[in-house]
C-alpha cells in the first residue's frame, strides 16, 4: 500500500497503526459498531468485507479503535462507509486520519457516502458536498392492503442468477455506476422480485437479512407504481417482522406505501459526494430508472 498519509497516529495515550480490515477478528468489528449503537451483525460486517476494502486503527495490543471502508465500482467511483471511532476516543482526529488513508487508496475516484449528523462537519472539511437526505424507515411490517398487481402487460417474477445481467444494467442506469460485484453478492443473499415488460427488466427489489431483521434494497424502478409492485411482496413476506428501507424519496406514492407498511421514520443521514454526478431520485420527471431504496447506507 503506497500512501503519503502516516501509517501511525497517537490517539490520546495510544499509538495506533492502520491495519487492513481483513486482518482483524470479525468480533472486534462487531464490538466497534455495537459501541456506537449500530445494528450490524457480524455477518453484515463479513458481507461488507467480501464486497469492499477497509482499514482499522489498531493499538499496540491489537484493540480496534476505529474503522473506514470503501467500495469501488468500475475504475472511477467508490462509496465510503463504516466510518466509526470508538466512543471514548472520539474528537482526537482518528476518523480524519482513517478517511485520509481511505482517500489515498481511492485516488482518482469520485466518492459518495451517507453521513450521520456526527460526521457531517468532518466530511465537509474534507471537501464533500451535501446532495440529498436519506430517510431511514423501519418497523414491524404490515400489509397496507391487497398486494398490488402489476399493470397489464407486465410480468412480476422471482429473480434468479439468470437475471444478474438485467439487474446490473438497470441498477447502473439508476445509480450512475456499474456495481456487478456487489449485485452478484447481493443477489446471492437476497430474495428478489423483478418486473418484466416485453422481456425487458423495468423494476426490481431485493430483500436480505440485515441488522435487526430484513432490509429491502436496492429497489430500482422508473415510477412509483412499479417500485411498489416489486417491493410489496417483501412487505407481505415479512409481515409482523422487523423490516427496514433506506430511501432518498421525500414524497409520493412509494413513500406513502412504505409508511403505510409500518415503516416509520427512524433517522436521516445526508448523502455527500466528492466529484462526480449524483442522480437525485426525487427527480422522477424523465421516466428514467431511479434508486428507490439503497442497498445500505454504506453501500449506497
Ligand atoms: C463521526 C465519527 C466517526 C467521528 O470520529 P472522530 O474520530 O471523533 O473524528 P475526528 O476526531 O477525526 O474529527 C471529529 C472532530 O474532532 C476534531 N479533532 C480532530 N483532531 C482533534 C484533536 N487532536 N483534538 C481535538 N479535536 C480534534 C475534528 O476537527 C472534528 O471536529 P469537527 O467535527 O468540529 O470538525 C465518530 O463520532 C463516530 O464514530 N460516530 C458514531 C458513528 C458515526 O456516526 N459514523 C459516521 C458514519 S458516516
Amino acid at each position: 500500500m503506497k500512501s503519503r498519509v502516516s501509517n501511525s497516529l497517537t490517539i490520546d495515550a495510544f499509538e495506533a497503526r492502520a491495519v487492513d480490515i481483513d486482518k482483524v477478528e470479525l468480533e472486534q468489528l462487531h464490538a466497534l459498531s455495537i459501541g456506537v449503537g449500530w445494528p450490524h451483525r457480524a455477518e453484515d460486517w463479513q458481507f461488507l468485507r467480501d464486497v469492499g476494502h477497509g482499514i482499522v486503527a489498531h493499538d499496540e495490543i491489537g484493540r480496534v479503535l476505529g474503522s473506514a471502508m470503501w467500495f469501488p465500482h468500475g475504475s472511477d467511483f467508490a462509496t465510503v462507509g463504516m466510518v466509526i471511532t470508538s466512543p471514548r476516543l472520539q474528537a482526537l482526529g482518528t476518523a480524519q486520519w482513517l478517511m485520509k488513508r481511505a482517500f489515498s487508496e481511492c485516488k482518482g475516484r469520485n466518492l459518495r457516502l451517507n453521513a450521520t449528523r456526527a460526521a457531517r462537519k468532518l466530511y465537509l472539511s474534507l471537501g464533500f458536498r451535501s446532495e440529498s437526505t436519506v430517510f431511514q424507515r423501519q418497523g414491524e411490517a404490515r400489509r397496507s392492503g391487497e398486494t398490488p398487481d402489476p399493470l397489464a402487460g407486465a410480468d412480476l417474477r422471482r429473480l434468479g442468477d439468470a437475471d444478474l445481467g438485467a439487474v446490473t444494467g438497470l441498477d447502473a442506469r439508476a445509480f450512475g455506476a456499474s456495481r456487478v460485484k456487489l449485485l452478484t453478492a447481493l443477489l446471492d443473499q437476497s430474495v428478489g422480485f423483478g418486473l418484466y415488460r416485453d422481456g425487458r427488466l423495468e423494476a426490481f427489489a431485493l430483500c436480505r437479512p440485515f441488522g435487526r431483521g430484513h432490509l429491502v434494497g436496492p429497489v430500482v424502478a422508473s415510477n412509483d407504481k412499479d417500485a411498489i409492485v416489486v417491493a410489496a411482496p417483501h412487505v407481505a413476506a415479512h409481515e409482523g417482522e422487523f423490516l427496514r428501507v433506506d430511501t432518498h424519496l421525500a414524497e409520493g406514492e412509494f413513500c406513502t406505501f412504505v409508511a403505510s407498511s409500518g415503516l416509520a421514520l427512524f433517522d436521516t443521514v445526508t448523502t455527500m459526494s466528492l466529484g462526480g454526478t449524483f442522480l437525485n431520485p426525487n427527480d422522477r420527471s424523465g421516466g428514467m430508472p431511479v434508486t428507490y431504496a439503497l442497498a445500505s447506507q454504506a453501500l449506497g
Side-chain angles (χ1 to χ4, degrees):
M1 267 201 266
K2 277 196 188 133
S3 154
R4 266 180 276 151
V5 185
S6 165
N7 196 38
S8 68
L9 172 75
T10 304
I11 309 170
D12 200 9
F14 301 93
E15 183 72 19
R17 280 182 310 119
V19 172
D20 190 302
I21 203 161
D22 287 331
K23 299 222 160 64
V24 301
E25 297 284 335
L26 199 53
E27 278 316 316
Q28 291 184 287
L29 299 174
H30 192 203
L32 185 68
S33 55
I34 287 174
V36 293
W38 285 8
H40 299 69
R41 306 164 304 154
E43 295 93 320
D44 298 324
W45 273 104
Q46 187 52 49
F47 180 81
L48 293 169
R49 290 206 293 194
D50 290 343
V51 298
H53 308 275
I55 44 170
V56 298
H58 221 216
D59 74 5
E60 295 102 326
I61 58 165
R63 285 176 299 192
V64 171
L65 313 176
S67 64
M69 296 193 76
W70 59 95
F71 306 92
H73 301 295
S75 58
D76 60 1
F77 178 77
T79 61
V80 172
M82 306 311 288
V83 180
I84 301 174
T85 299
S86 180
R88 69 206 162 92
L89 294 171
Q90 289 177 0
L92 296 169
T94 311
Q96 196 178 73
W97 176 65
L98 288 167
M99 279 300 291
K100 284 185 175 163
R101 290 194 61 86
F103 272 13
S104 64
E105 298 294 329
C106 292
K107 211 170 178 170
R109 292 179 183 274
N110 297 321
L111 301 177
R112 196 183 303 160
L113 53 75
N114 291 304
T116 59
R117 224 158 283 123
R120 212 169 297 159
K121 244 173 97 184
L122 169 70
Y123 298 135
L124 284 172
S125 75
L126 292 167
F128 283 82
R129 65 163 196 272
S130 300
E131 301 276 13
S132 182
T133 301
V134 175
F135 302 93
Q136 178 179 340
R137 297 183 155 276
Q138 61 189 46
E140 192 177 303
R142 62 163 187 266
R143 286 186 211 225
S144 52
E146 288 301 305
T147 304
D149 287 325
L151 301 176
D155 179 21
L156 181 67
R157 286 189 219 154
R158 215 17 226 275
L159 296 173
D161 292 347
D163 299 291
L164 178 64
V167 166
T168 53
L170 186 62
D171 181 77
R173 288 172 64 205
F175 190 76
S178 177
R179 309 194 278 178
V180 179
K181 181 179 173 187
L182 173 63
L183 285 161
T184 306
L186 283 172
L187 260 184
D188 195 48
Q189 301 246 325
S190 307
V191 170
F193 289 97
L195 193 64
Y196 277 88
R197 284 194 184 91
D198 300 323
R200 204 177 60 201
L201 184 69
E202 299 213 328
F204 73 87
L206 306 187
C207 178
R208 68 185 191 282
F210 178 86
R212 294 172 57 192
H214 280 75
L215 176 145
V216 181
V219 177
V220 176
S222 300
N223 60 69
D224 287 25
K225 283 203 164 47
D226 284 358
I228 294 169
V229 166
V230 289
H234 295 305
V235 174
H238 294 287
E239 193 170 15
E241 296 169 16
F242 182 89
L243 198 62
R244 168 174 172 174
V245 171
D246 292 278
T247 179
H248 282 112
L249 296 196
E251 44 74 39
E253 281 180 62
F254 182 76
C255 290
T256 307
F257 160 77
V258 172
S260 62
S261 298
L263 312 191
L265 183 63
F266 175 75
D267 201 0
T268 59
V269 291
T270 305
T271 300
M272 302 180 83
S273 56
L274 187 63
T277 316
F278 169 70
L279 305 173
N280 192 338
N282 284 299
D283 178 9
R284 307 197 283 293
S285 56
M288 294 291 287
V290 299
T291 304
Y292 274 80
L294 276 54
S296 75
Q297 290 182 7
L299 296 167

